Amino acid sequence: MAVIIENSIWEPNPYLFIFIFLSCFLSILLLPYASKNSSTRAPSPFDHGFSSSFSSFQRKFLLLYSLASVMEGLWSVYGEFEYTYRGVSREQIVLSLCVGYAASLFVGSFLGVLSDLIGQKKVCMTFCIIHLVTAVWKRISVHQSLFITSIGLSLATSIFSFSFETWMVHHHEKQGQRQDMLSDTFWLMTVFESVSLIGNQMLVNSLVGDNVKRNMFSPSTVAVFLALICLTFVTKGWTEASQRIELEDYRTSFSAYIFSDKRIWLLAWAQASIHFSVAFFWILWAPTLVADGREVHLGLIYPCLLGSRILGSSLFPWLMGGTSSLRTEDCLLYCFVISGLVISIVAFDYQDLGVLVMLFSMFHACVGLIVPLLARLRTMYVPNKLRGGMISLSLAPANAAILFFLLQGGYYRRIENSVILAFAALGLFTSAGSISATANLLLEIARSSYGISVFVD
C-alpha cells in the first residue's frame, strides 16, 4: 500500500488580515473624536482648522509621495526571483547588492548635503530621472544591467530617505504652520508609503499574472510611466524659493549645529541602527521563513507586515496627542527595546512559523511608530537648512555595516544569518540607550537654562 505525503503550504490565518485592517481603520477613524473629548485637544489630520493652503499642499504632497513609494517598491516584489528566473547566479545577486550599498555609502551619503546646497526640487527631479533611466536600461538588458540597476536604485533610495521629508518640512516652515500639523504629516507619510507598497504588490502581480515569461518586464514599463508623471508633477507643480547656500557657510553651520551637538550624534546612531535592522530584515525574512525546505505563501505574509507598520504609525497621534502624557523620547525608548527583543528571539533560530510571523509583525509595528518619532526629533534638534545632510550622513555607518555583513555573510558565507540578526538587535538596544541619554541631556539643558539646581543628599 502506497503512502501519500501531502505537502501543505503555510498561510497566515485569514482573521489576522481582518484584525489588522479593523485595528488600523478604527485607530484612524476614532482619532478626531478622542481629540475633541480631550481636555488638551490634539489636532488631527481631519481637523477643519487647518489652513486651506496647507491642506491642499498636504494632499498633493502625499499623492506624490505615494507615487514615489510605488516606484521604490516596484523592484522588490519579485526581486531575487526575477534574476533567478533570468539565470543570474546567487553570487551575482549578492555582489549586485554589495555594489548598490557601496554606491549608497560613497555617493548617497553626500546627496543630502547636495540637496541642502542646491534645493530639494532638483534632487527630487534627479530621483525621478534615476528611476526612469534605470527602468529603460533594465528593459533593454538583464545581465548587463544588473550592477547599473543596483547602483541606480540604491542612489534613488538614498534620495528617497531624505528628499521628500526635507521638502515638506521646508514648505511647512515657509507657511508658518503649527508643529502639530507637521507631526501629522510625518505619520501619514508612513501610512501612505505602506499602503502604496501593498497596492504595488497587487499591481505587479496582476500585470505579470500567470505568464511570467511574457510579462516579467511589465513593472519596468510601469516604472517609466510613474517616473514621467512624478517628474512632470515636480517640474510643473512645485514652486521653490531659491535657497542656494555657499559651501563655506554650510560647512560652518554644519560644524556648529550638527557635529557639536551630542543629541544629534545620539539621534544619528538611532537612525543608523533602525536603517540597518530594516535593511537586513528584508534581506533575511524570506530565507528565515522557508528554512529547512518549508513551503510558505510569502505573498500573503508581506501585506501582514506592512499592515502592522500602518497600525504602528496610526498609534503615533494617540501617543503624541493630548490623550497621552508620554514624551517622544519615552515612546522611542520603549519601541527600540521591544524591537530589539523581537529581533533577539528571531536570532535564536526560532522555528515555529506562526510565532515568527507574529514577531515580524511586532517588529514592523515598532518600525511604523519609530519612523515618525525620529522625524519629530529631527524637527526638534536639526535646523531645516541642514536636515538633508544630517539624514544622509547619519545613514553612512549603517550602509558601511550592511556592506560588510553582505560580503562576509552573503558572499563569502563566513557569518551566519543569526549572527547578523544578533548585531541588529544589539544596535536597537544601544539605540534605546542613546535615546535615554538624549532625554538626560535635554534635562540638563533645561536645568542650566532655568537655573535649577539639583542637590543630592
Side-chain angles (χ1 to χ4, degrees), residues 34 65 105 173 181:
Y65 188 74
L105 174 61
E173 183 183 47
M181 297 169 66

Side-chain angles (χ1 to χ4, degrees), residues 65-85:
Y65 188 74
S66 300
L67 293 176
S69 300
V70 172
M71 282 197 296
E72 278 289 287
L74 274 174
W75 315 104
S76 61
V77 175
Y78 281 89
E80 184 177 341
F81 170 78
E82 177 184 350
Y83 290 121
T84 304
Y85 182 82

Side-chain angles (χ1 to χ4, degrees), residues 119-335:
Q120 302 303 319
K121 181 174 181 177
K122 295 179 181 178
V123 176
C124 285
M125 290 173 61
T126 304
F127 168 83
C128 299
I129 292 172
I130 289 176
H131 271 288
L132 177 62
V133 173
T134 302
V136 173
W137 190 265
K138 191 175 181 180
R139 182 80 183 185
I140 295 173
S141 175
V142 177
H143 291 279
Q144 290 81 357
S145 67
L146 181 62
F147 298 115
I148 296 178
T149 299
S150 182
I151 293 173
L153 294 180
S154 296
L155 294 180
T157 301
S158 297
I159 295 175
F160 183 79
S161 65
F162 64 83
S163 59
F164 291 96
E165 176 188 318
T166 307
W167 167 34
M168 184 270 296
V169 172
H170 275 289
H171 192 90
H172 176 275
E173 183 183 47
K174 183 176 67 175
Q175 289 197 349
Q177 301 294 340
R178 302 194 306 260
Q179 288 298 316
D180 45 39
M181 297 169 66
L182 179 61
S183 296
D184 279 330
T185 308
F186 286 148
W187 71 268
L188 286 173
M189 286 171 64
T190 309
V191 169
F192 274 73
E193 180 186 358
S194 302
V195 172
S196 299
L197 292 176
I198 296 175
N200 172 67
Q201 183 196 30
M202 298 171 58
L203 173 64
V204 174
N205 287 334
S206 63
L207 287 174
V208 175
D210 297 329
N211 195 340
V212 179
K213 182 177 181 180
R214 180 179 179 182
N215 300 325
M216 182 59 75
F217 285 128
S218 297
S220 299
T221 304
V222 175
V224 171
F225 181 68
L226 290 176
L228 291 174
I229 292 178
C230 292
L231 188 60
T232 303
F233 187 95
V234 173
T235 304
K236 302 295 183 181
W238 184 353
T239 57
E240 181 182 53
S242 177
Q243 60 172 39
R244 294 189 66 88
I245 306 174
E246 294 296 330
L247 180 59
E248 189 61 34
D249 295 337
Y250 183 85
R251 186 185 305 163
T252 302
S253 299
F254 209 90
S255 177
Y257 292 103
I258 304 298
F259 290 143
S260 302
D261 195 334
K262 295 181 180 178
R263 298 172 302 171
I264 296 181
W265 280 94
L266 296 171
L267 176 60
W269 175 252
Q271 292 179 183
S273 68
I274 195 65
H275 178 72
F276 176 87
S277 301
V278 171
F280 263 110
F281 174 87
W282 287 117
I283 294 174
L284 299 177
W285 78 284
T288 302
L289 289 176
V290 300
D292 302 328
R294 297 175 295 195
E295 296 188 32
V296 183
H297 265 313
L298 298 176
L300 295 179
I301 298 176
Y302 182 77
C304 288
L305 304 181
L306 293 177
S308 301
R309 193 167 182 249
I310 296 173
L311 180 59
S313 300
S314 67
L315 295 178
F316 175 86
W318 291 88
L319 296 175
M320 292 293 100
T323 57
S324 173
S325 59
L326 285 174
R327 298 179 304 168
T328 304
E329 293 83 0
D330 296 331
C331 290
L332 271 174
L333 176 62
Y334 300 145
C335 287

